[in-house]
């Protein structure tokens, strides 16, 4: 089976760790050992992230007195492809899995609106005040990432890979290929066919999904530093999702710039290919592929108790599922911390404070209505769920 693997940059340098080469090399070695278990029976194409690494290089470039201007992100992204690609290829070889790394350029649209609306996290995390100080000093945009703050940069959509036929030829020849590092170096194509770099970072999960579709992969694995996608993320009621269909998953909300691109990549691949995708921890790679760990995303959720057909839940179950969806949306809305906006200049807002507050109020009201319907509904009363959602 041909498998495209999106390997998270945070899995190679975990939160709070010093970005020393020896630390990252140790994680790469463990990653290679996990991937070697898959390579024995499957053909692998590996895309790696670079968020922590490209952020580190950007910091060094910005503070280098020898430079007139910092290096742009496309150049720094190419540097991370060389560094991480070298580590991966060498450690894969040492694990008995010879591989080749291809420096790759990802074509993006020059007028992509994402270029003016940064969402992608790069670099280390900070407490809020140091993050705001750095943002003022260096002209960064920042956003909360969990309980810390990080820099965000533009992340345009991948439209193509310049070296796609090289990657295809290597994969068809049976080679393990490392490519699309950091999502690929973002470039635009001019009217006369010239390629020009873009000061941005492409999301490696979306690039991996595009690669998986164009190379005819049968599975997309997104391996990161979390064990599974969580329902009710950020609340005490958080629970792992083991299997979910694309339509249900698409109706849920996840943090932009971190989990959301992983979700979107799996949805795109599963819908377009008809094959499953999965998200899970790097150390559980074999189990994630087998479906015994992580979250498996399927095109359609099949109910074995009903002859393998897709079934529609009865009213009581439908209301319960709706309640779970609303709770998840409410948790996400509340996690945006609209009250923080009051102390931030309007030009730096990443959301509209009034809109965020209205959304929270509306979701709380909807949750109350669903709970009331759930308490009074009986079997077969499916119309109540539909009425609540409208």
């Amino acid at each position: 089976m041909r498998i495209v693997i999106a390997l998270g940059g945070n899995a190679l340098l975990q939160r709070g760790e010093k970005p020393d080469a020896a630390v990252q090399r140790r994680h790469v070695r463990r990653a290679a050992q996990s991937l070697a278990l898959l390579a024995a029976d499957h053909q692998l194409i590996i895309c790696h992230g670079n968020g922590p690494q490209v952020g580190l290089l950007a910091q060094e470039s910005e503070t280098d007195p020898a430079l007139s201007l910092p290096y742009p992100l496309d150049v720094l992204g190419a540097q991370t492809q060389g560094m991480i690609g070298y580590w991966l290829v060498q450690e894969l070889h040492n694990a008995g899995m010879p591989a080749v790394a291809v420096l790759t350029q990802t074509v993006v649209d020059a007028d992509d609106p994402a270029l003016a609306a940064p969402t992608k996290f790069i670099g280390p995390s900070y407490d809020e005040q140091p993050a705001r100080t750095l943002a003022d000093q260096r002209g960064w945009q920042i956003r909360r990432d969990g309980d810390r703050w990080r820099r965000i940069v533009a992340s345009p959509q991948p439209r193509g890979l310049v070296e796609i036929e090289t990657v295809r030829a290597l994969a068809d020849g049976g080679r393990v290929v490392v490519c699309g590092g950091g999502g690929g170096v973002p470039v635009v194509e001019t009217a006369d066919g010239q390629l020009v770099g873009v000061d941005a970072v492409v999301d490696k999960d979306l690039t991996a999904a595009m690669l998986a579709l164009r190379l005819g992969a049968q599975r997309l694995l997104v391996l990161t530093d979390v064990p599974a996608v969580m329902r009710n993320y950020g609340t005490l009621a958080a629970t792992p999702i083991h299997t979910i269909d694309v339509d249900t998953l698409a109706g849920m909300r996840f943090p932009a710039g971190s989990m959301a691109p992983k979700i979107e990549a799996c949805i795109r691949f599963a819908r377009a290919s008809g094959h499953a995708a999965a998200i899970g921890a790097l150390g559980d790679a074999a189990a994630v592929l087998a479906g015994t760990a992580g979250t498996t995303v399927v095109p359609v959720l099949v109910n074995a108790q009903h002859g393998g057909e897709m079934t529609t839940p009865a009213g009581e179950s439908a209301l319960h599922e709706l309640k779970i969806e609303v709770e998840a949306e409410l948790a996400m809305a509340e996690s945006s911390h609209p009250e923080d906006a009051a102390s931030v200049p309007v030009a730096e807002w990443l959301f509209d404070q009034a809109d965020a507050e209205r959304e929270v109020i509306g979701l709380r009201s909807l949750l109350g209505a669903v709970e009331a319907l759930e308490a009074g509904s009986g079997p077969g009363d499916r119309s109540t769920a539909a009425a609540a959602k409208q």
Side-chain angles (χ1 to χ4, degrees):
M1 178 164 61
R2 176 172 287 182
I3 304 170
V4 171
I5 294 175
L7 187 62
N10 286 328
L12 304 180
L13 182 63
Q14 297 178 0
R15 300 172 193 272
E17 288 185 318
K18 285 187 175 295
D20 294 342
V23 173
Q24 298 187 66
R25 189 63 175 260
R26 184 170 64 250
H27 287 304
V28 170
R29 184 175 301 116
R30 291 173 181 167
Q33 291 167 352
S34 294
L35 297 178
L37 298 175
L38 303 182
D41 300 310
H42 306 286
Q43 182 187 55
L44 305 185
I45 298 161
I46 303 167
C47 298
H48 63 79
N50 71 346
Q53 295 81 9
V54 77
L56 174 64
L57 292 179
Q59 278 188 301
E60 292 175 348
S61 180
E62 288 167 350
T63 57
D64 189 338
L67 296 176
S68 300
L69 291 171
Y71 284 138
L73 288 169
D74 59 313
V75 175
L76 299 178
Q79 290 185 32
T80 65
Q81 283 196 26
M83 177 177 70
I84 301 173
Y86 158 66
W87 284 337
L88 276 170
V89 165
Q90 190 173 88
E91 293 301 338
L92 289 169
H93 172 88
N94 292 341
M97 185 173 54
V100 59
V102 179
L103 191 148
T104 38
Q105 304 169 87
T106 298
V107 179
V108 302
D109 291 335
D111 57 355
D112 190 320
L115 291 171
T119 59
K120 181 68 176 173
F121 290 114
I122 66 168
S125 59
Y126 305 91
D127 290 332
E128 181 176 358
Q129 192 51 53
R132 293 199 182 281
T133 300
L134 285 169
D136 290 340
Q137 292 174 346
R138 300 178 181 176
W140 291 356
Q141 292 194 51
I142 59 173
R143 176 175 291 172
R144 187 190 296 269
D145 183 16
D147 60 354
R148 305 269 284 172
W149 291 74
R150 294 177 71 191
R151 180 185 178 186
I152 54 172
V153 299
S155 185
Q157 292 286 315
R159 300 301 181 192
L161 204 71
V162 175
E163 294 79 11
I164 184 67
E165 293 308 321
T166 299
V167 174
R168 188 192 310 278
L170 289 166
D172 288 347
R175 300 302 299 268
V176 173
V177 186
V178 177
C179 64
V185 178
V187 297
V188 295
E189 188 171 3
T190 64
D192 60 353
Q194 300 294 300
L195 297 176
V196 180
V198 177
D199 189 20
V201 174
V202 182
D203 189 89
K204 64 94 181 37
D205 299 309
L206 300 182
T207 296
M210 178 186 69
L211 268 172
L213 291 171
R214 298 194 179 183
L215 297 175
Q218 289 79 45
R219 190 64 59 89
L220 171 67
L221 293 187
V222 179
L223 301 178
T224 183
D225 59 348
V226 298
V229 180
M230 305 298 288
R231 194 186 299 277
N232 299 327
Y233 172 79
T235 73
L236 295 176
T239 55
I241 300 172
H242 299 296
T243 304
I244 190 168
D245 66 276
V246 293
D247 290 336
T248 301
L249 188 59
M252 301 171 69
R253 297 181 59 191
F254 297 91
S258 55
M259 183 56 74
K262 296 172 175 54
I263 298 295
E264 179 61 25
C266 290
I267 289 173
R268 290 183 186 182
F269 174 75
R271 275 184 172 159
S273 70
H275 297 297
I279 300 173
L282 172 58
D284 298 331
V288 172
L289 177 61
T292 57
T295 299
T296 299
V297 180
V298 295
V300 177
L301 190 60
V302 176
N303 190 331
Q305 294 181 345
H306 293 78
E309 297 295 326
M310 181 70 183
T311 60
T312 303
E316 192 172 359
S317 176
L319 281 170
H320 180 67
E321 287 297 315
L322 177 58
K323 178 183 176 182
I324 290 173
E325 288 184 34
V326 176
E327 286 175 338
E329 291 189 18
L330 179 59
M332 283 301 305
E334 290 177 331
S335 71
S336 66
H337 300 277
E339 68 275 7
D340 290 348
S343 61
V344 180
V346 172
E348 296 182 17
W349 283 10
L350 299 176
F351 52 80
D352 185 278
Q353 182 183 12
D355 286 347
E357 291 172 344
R358 282 193 292 269
E359 182 180 23
V360 169
I361 292 170
L363 286 169
R364 285 174 178 163
S365 176
L366 177 58
L367 180 59
V370 172
E371 288 175 339
L373 287 169
E374 190 177 40
S377 67
D381 194 9
R382 288 210 298 264
S383 61
T384 56
K389 198 159 189 176
Q390 292 175 354

